[in-house]
Amino acid sequence: MSESENDWLNNLIRKSAEVRENAHCPYSKFRVGAALLSDDGTVYTGCNVENACYPVGVCAERTAICKAVSEGHKKFKAIAVITDREETVTPCGLCRQSLREFQIKSIYCAKATPVNGKYEYRLFTLEELLPHSFGPEYLL
Ligand SMILES: [Zn+2]
């Protein structure tokens, strides 16, 4: 990975860590932040927003996707996801299907705390997270 590629990725992960601070998770205490990079370079962030009626809650990844789509963006290069755990945590099943809808193929799952200013992460492909998936092409 080149130095410049490393920089944009670290910035994307840093934005996911910043928005993690806004997580509304009084029930799970499980904060999540996501930063979604659109094809024109715009970054949309999202955090998890829980609800006293549990099923109403929305994950960070889908918050970011909905913000982007509502602003007119539907093409994306990558998403970064971060929690408070010092291990990589992957998106839930609902979010994987949402990533699939918009063909978000590079999913960077970061560890909670940067080391020397750099976040450690693991890159997953959409195919790894949701193999043999159902997608929009079946409905066209
Ligand atoms: Zn989710």
Side-chain angles (χ1 to χ4, degrees):
M1 181 176 292
S2 71
E3 190 59 37
S4 62
E5 186 176 0
N6 215 359
D7 286 347
W8 74 256
L9 179 54
N10 201 58
N11 284 335
L12 191 68
I13 295 172
R14 184 174 46 74
K15 286 181 179 178
S16 73
E18 288 171 1
V19 75
R20 177 183 57 184
E21 300 296 318
N22 298 332
H24 176 72
C25 52
Y27 314 108
S28 72
K29 316 283 191 219
F30 189 75
R31 300 187 311 163
V32 185
L36 178 61
L37 179 64
S38 67
D39 63 345
D40 73 352
T42 307
V43 174
Y44 294 92
T45 59
C47 62
N48 52 331
V49 183
E50 294 182 353
N51 192 286
C53 179
Y54 285 15
V56 177
V58 180
C59 299
E61 300 93 316
R62 284 180 288 131
T63 299
I65 290 169
C66 288
K67 285 171 69 177
V69 172
S70 67
E71 295 297 321
H73 281 100
K74 293 184 181 177
K75 294 186 177 176
F76 308 102
K77 292 179 178 174
I79 191 168
V81 183
I82 195 166
T83 70
D84 286 319
R85 297 188 63 93
E86 295 301 341
E87 62 191 299
T88 55
V89 177
T90 57
C92 77
L94 286 175
C95 289
R96 292 177 192 204
Q97 187 66 45
S98 290
L99 296 168
R100 168 65 170 86
E101 179 72 16
F102 296 100
Q103 290 295 310
I104 303 167
K105 295 179 178 176
S106 297
I107 300 115
Y108 294 90
C109 298
K111 295 182 180 181
T113 308
V115 177
N116 298 323
K118 297 284 184 187
Y119 285 93
E120 296 180 29
Y121 63 86
R122 185 166 167 200
L123 170 62
F124 294 91
T125 65
L126 185 60
E127 180 62 25
E128 284 177 299
L129 294 182
L130 197 66
H132 312 289
S133 62
F134 181 82
E137 65 274 13
Y138 293 112
L139 300 178
L140 301 177

